[in-house]
Amino acid sequence: MIDSQTIDRIKEVANIVDVISDYVELKKCGVSYKGICPFHNERTPSFFVLPSRQIYHCFGCGKGGDVINFIMEMEKLPYPDAVKFLARRYNLDVYEDGARASTYRFTPYQATTRQEPPQAPSYINKDIVYQSQSTQNNLIYYLCGYFTTEELEKACALYYMGSTRNGSTIYWQIDEALKVRSGKVIAYDGDTGHRIKESGVNWAHSIMRLQGFNLVQCLYGQHLLKAYPDKPVRLVEGEKTAFICSMVYPKFNWLSCGGFDYFKPDMLQALEGRDVEVYPDTDTTGETFTTWKAKSEEMTFAKFMVSDFCERYATQQQKKKKFDIADLLLADMEPIASDVIAPDELDEEQCQKPMTDAEKALKRMIQANPVIGTLVDNLNLELVV
């Protein structure tokens, strides 16, 4: 049994607004926050979060509770595993019967047996993806210090990277059938390249207020498996990591599972029958590497080889910052000069230069068949309208 002091500590540290913001778009409403309830279909927000009491409640369906109850509902986990899920997020130790326990004890197979029968995923119109595609976001601005404009534009096209009006990055999750599951929206600091944690993580379907949307995630970059079937596969935790590594080592298909807890069978089924080299993030205890290695041995539908690259080459200081393979690669790269203008420095005229219909059509053709883009580049072809 988990120690009561451990549970109290997690409730004290885990900010319920931050946790719920990973799943629901919340807006300030007096002393509380409100949003569209994730547990039932509704058009007007009836879901409220009260930070002063660290609880949530939906006046539409009646569901409510504390931060642990919310994770139990959203991740379909029993109470002990929900506690460990939050402990992992906040880097806290869990004690069971007076002894320190692993924060990763539940297995993917146990989680699968608790899940309800799978429902068909909802999709976002791909025209929305095309409209969002842009290099004008803070992450790209930061990466301009390490990569050329050509390298960044190719990577953005490869992953269909999108940008919001305020410079956040949209990581579209697109499956092998080129259907868009949704897009994870993350804000970055353009000077450091770090995620702005206060902004949380949002989802495109939530921002678009798509009613009854059933989010069934896929791997970030999963569409590359069909586009480049012969490329070896490399799997990492974060989307940003996959994006950066694709420019450093373009001969691989770099995919992201979206986080530590998503290295599990239902997220990785698209890799069935493949040899996959895996690069977990690092930490001071080595527990991340150990846990992923143990999980990889339980999953037999693919051959997972968990690399200790980060464990071997990260310094203790880098491990404290939980460096991933992309962080290590950038740390060894020489910054390059860039004349790119930061998104927040663009004037109104620069921000309002939409692509012509012909340019959009060509972009779609290149994304459907990358060979066309190669021909355009090699033959110096120009678009004639």
Side-chain angles (χ1 to χ4, degrees):
M1 180 179 294
I2 296 178
D3 188 281
S4 61
Q5 291 183 339
T6 296
I7 296 174
D8 291 341
R9 176 60 176 160
I10 289 173
K11 288 182 178 181
E12 177 185 345
V13 173
N15 186 301
I16 193 168
V17 175
D18 290 343
V19 172
I20 293 180
S21 291
D22 285 350
Y23 303 84
V24 180
E25 182 184 9
L26 297 176
K27 291 188 176 180
K28 194 83 164 62
C29 181
V31 296
S32 62
Y33 291 79
K34 68 178 181 179
I36 299 295
C37 181
F39 305 120
H40 77 288
N41 295 333
E42 63 177 6
R43 293 186 177 180
T44 56
S46 59
F47 180 86
F48 285 80
V49 180
L50 285 73
S52 61
R53 299 177 59 188
Q54 289 292 296
I55 62 171
Y56 70 93
H57 183 80
C58 177
F59 292 93
C61 66
K63 288 193 175 183
D66 60 19
V67 67
I68 299 176
N69 298 130
F70 182 82
I71 291 299
M72 290 173 64
E73 290 282 354
M74 293 301 298
E75 298 292 338
K76 308 298 182 187
L77 297 175
Y79 191 88
D81 289 348
V83 170
K84 294 170 185 175
F85 183 98
L86 289 167
R88 161 64 191 169
R89 173 185 173 128
Y90 288 96
N91 199 27
L92 298 175
D93 292 333
V94 172
Y95 289 87
E96 291 181 330
D97 299 324
R100 184 178 181 276
S102 168
T103 55
Y104 321 106
R105 292 189 63 178
F106 70 91
T107 69
Y109 299 102
Q110 291 173 331
T112 301
T113 60
R114 289 192 295 270
Q115 292 178 353
E116 298 175 359
Q119 299 179 353
S122 299
Y123 300 106
I124 290 178
N125 191 313
K126 204 171 182 186
D127 285 341
I128 301 296
V129 176
Y130 294 137
Q131 293 169 16
S132 76
Q133 284 187 273
S134 169
T135 57
Q136 296 300 328
N137 65 59
N138 289 326
L139 176 61
I140 297 300
Y141 173 64
Y142 168 73
L143 293 177
C144 282
Y146 296 91
F147 300 96
T148 66
T149 301
E150 181 182 3
E151 289 172 325
L152 289 166
E153 288 179 345
K154 285 185 176 180
C156 285
L158 187 68
Y159 287 94
Y160 295 85
M161 179 176 279
S163 303
T164 66
R165 292 178 180 176
N166 65 358
S168 294
T169 300
I170 308 175
Y171 295 110
W172 294 109
Q173 290 187 4
I174 303 174
D175 59 27
E176 297 102 317
L178 294 182
K179 292 187 175 181
V180 185
R181 303 293 184 92
S182 189
K184 188 183 289 187
V185 183
I186 300 179
Y188 292 95
D189 184 312
D191 294 324
T192 65
H194 296 156
R195 181 166 71 88
I196 302 175
K197 294 184 179 180
E198 294 78 10
S199 300
V201 176
N202 213 334
W203 288 95
H205 67 274
S206 177
I207 295 174
M208 296 166 64
R209 298 185 180 277
L210 298 180
Q211 300 300 315
F213 193 92
N214 183 38
L215 173 61
V216 179
Q217 294 192 57
C218 69
L219 296 169
Y220 177 65
Q222 188 166 310
H223 63 285
L224 299 176
L225 297 175
K226 185 175 182 180
Y228 304 99
D230 297 327
K231 278 189 175 185
V233 177
R234 299 293 182 261
L235 181 70
V236 294
E237 290 191 37
E239 294 86 356
K240 171 187 166 185
T241 308
F243 182 80
I244 292 173
C245 287
S246 74
M247 292 183 284
V248 180
Y249 298 113
K251 67 179 181 180
F252 303 118
N253 276 333
W254 289 91
L255 278 59
S256 159
C257 63
F260 175 89
D261 296 299
Y262 294 96
F263 186 67
K264 55 185 181 179
D266 58 344
M267 194 70 176
L268 306 176
Q269 285 299 324
L271 302 176
E272 184 174 3
R274 292 178 177 270
D275 291 345
V276 182
E277 195 160 316
V278 184
Y279 292 87
D281 296 355
T282 189
D283 57 48
T284 55
T285 64
E287 199 162 10
T288 305
F289 168 77
T290 303
T291 303
W292 271 33
K293 188 168 180 60
K295 286 185 177 182
S296 71
E297 294 170 354
E298 297 173 353
M299 297 184 288
T300 59
F301 56 86
K303 185 178 180 181
F304 294 102
M305 296 158 285
V306 181
S307 171
D308 63 351
F309 179 89
C310 293
E311 294 300 312
R312 282 189 292 132
Y313 294 109
T315 65
Q316 196 63 22
Q317 188 63 29
Q318 290 170 334
K319 289 180 179 180
K320 286 182 180 180
K321 296 180 179 179
K322 298 185 177 180
F323 265 38
D324 55 40
I325 183 174
D327 293 323
L328 292 174
L329 292 173
L330 291 183
D332 285 338
M333 292 176 65
E334 288 289 339
I336 62 176
S338 173
D339 57 359
V340 176
I341 302 174
D344 56 2
E345 295 175 357
L346 292 171
D347 59 35
E348 186 174 351
E349 182 180 353
Q350 288 174 300
C351 292
Q352 296 177 344
K353 289 184 178 179
M355 296 176 65
T356 65
D357 290 340
E359 289 172 331
K360 290 179 181 178
L362 178 61
K363 193 170 191 177
R364 292 190 184 100
M365 291 170 64
I366 292 174
Q367 288 166 338
N369 186 355
V371 174
I372 296 176
T374 302
L375 289 173
V376 171
D377 292 338
N378 291 343
L379 300 178
N380 294 319
L381 298 178
E382 294 184 2
L383 183 65
V384 178
V385 181

